[in-house]
Amino acid sequence: MATMTLSAKRQVVLPADLCRQIPLSPGAQVQVRLAADGSAILIEPVGKTGGKSASVLFGRAVHRGKPVAIEELQGSVSAARLAQRQDDA
């Protein structure tokens, strides 16, 4: 559980760890309400969230070895697609 501080404008910042676990990204709309028994504040996404943001992936993929240029990655993807098409034919 994280502790947040209420600002002078009555605002709080959601902890990064929490935001990585839920499908909320900057600009997302949320509904805030008091729990029925008054013991908690509930924050829920409004409408369809469309899944988790790409930020949940940051720090999860690890590459060991020399850095790879984006052009090299794109070439590898193109080659793999071409090989797949040839296998399907």
Side-chain angles (χ1 to χ4, degrees):
M1 181 185 305
T3 301
M4 299 177 288
T5 302
L6 190 65
S7 75
K9 293 183 177 183
R10 297 186 184 112
Q11 297 171 332
V12 294
V13 176
L14 296 176
D17 289 344
L18 178 63
C19 290
R20 287 187 198 103
Q21 298 174 38
I22 55 177
L24 290 177
S25 57
Q29 291 190 340
V30 295
Q31 180 181 35
V32 180
R33 62 184 171 89
L34 194 59
D37 63 359
S39 66
I41 296 172
L42 305 173
I43 302 172
E44 299 174 317
V46 174
K48 186 176 178 184
T49 59
K52 294 183 179 181
S53 70
S55 65
V56 299
L57 301 176
F58 294 152
R60 294 197 180 185
V62 177
H63 173 73
R64 301 192 197 297
K66 68 175 188 150
V68 180
I70 189 70
E71 294 82 7
E72 188 177 338
L73 288 173
Q74 289 171 333
S76 297
V77 170
S78 296
R81 286 182 182 161
L82 180 60
Q84 182 64 38
R85 286 184 192 147
Q86 290 174 347
D87 289 344
D88 291 343

